[in-house]
Amino acid sequence: MLLLLLVWSALAGMTLNMETVAVNGVELRAVQCELNSGGLLASIGVVASVAEQKAALDACAPAGAAARVGWTWKDGKVAETSVQRVEGTAQASCIQAALKRTVSGIDGVCQAVILLGPAEAAAKAADVLVPPVPVELAPEPAPAPEPPPEPTPPPEPAKKRGIGL
């Protein structure tokens, strides 16, 4: 029974979200996928299939760039690609052609920002498309409240002064 549940969970659809991932020199940011297949190792399959096209993707932006892209796998092959935005000098048609050559055992839809070309220039371009997540510092502790002032004692009655009778 347990084996049946494990097999079923590996075949069921899944949502995949990754902030940053790099494989074989290819970095993807803001990865979002709705996968119908692929099971427990789908995240590796998504990134590895794109990483196989590193040379073709880097050739699309020799000076470095980043592109927000989307693609659909059907029967393990790319059925559709799109380039929503490119930051830097890169050709959308070149990027789409490289993505169309990816092959995987996965069915589903993905979107990501792909860094192309030299790492430093690509990272700067990607920061425009996906700003870095700000580091939230712990709030400064509020200052301790000051203790209430000490109550002043009531004044002593004035001494009578008079002529010493």
Side-chain angles (χ1 to χ4, degrees):
M1 180 67 164
L2 181 60
L3 181 59
L4 181 61
L5 288 174
L6 289 174
V7 170
W8 177 255
S9 69
L11 297 174
M14 67 180 278
T15 299
L16 176 66
N17 291 303
M18 294 182 285
E19 188 176 314
T20 301
V21 62
V23 172
N24 294 334
V26 173
E27 183 176 337
L28 302 176
R29 295 185 186 178
V31 180
Q32 298 176 326
C33 296
E34 292 293 328
L35 304 175
N36 302 322
S37 66
L40 302 173
L41 301 177
S43 60
I44 295 169
V46 168
V47 182
S49 64
V50 175
E52 289 177 4
Q53 298 303 317
K54 178 178 177 25
L57 289 165
D58 286 349
C60 297
R68 183 177 300 281
V69 299
W71 67 97
T72 303
W73 276 306
K74 179 98 172 126
D75 298 325
K77 296 181 181 178
V78 174
E80 190 177 323
T81 63
S82 66
V83 176
Q84 292 97 23
R85 186 168 169 205
V86 175
E87 191 63 36
T89 55
Q91 302 222 348
S93 60
C94 178
I95 297 167
Q96 285 181 295
L99 284 176
K100 283 184 180 182
R101 289 192 293 271
T102 63
V103 178
S104 177
I106 299 170
D107 282 354
V109 178
C110 290
Q111 291 186 13
V113 171
I114 299 179
L115 282 67
L116 312 163
E120 188 174 323
K124 285 181 184 176
D127 287 344
V128 173
L129 296 177
V130 182
V133 177
V135 176
E136 291 187 28
L137 301 176
E140 299 244 349
E146 291 186 29
E150 293 283 327
T152 54
E156 290 187 31
K159 294 183 180 179
K160 293 186 180 178
R161 295 187 182 216
I163 324 178
L165 292 175

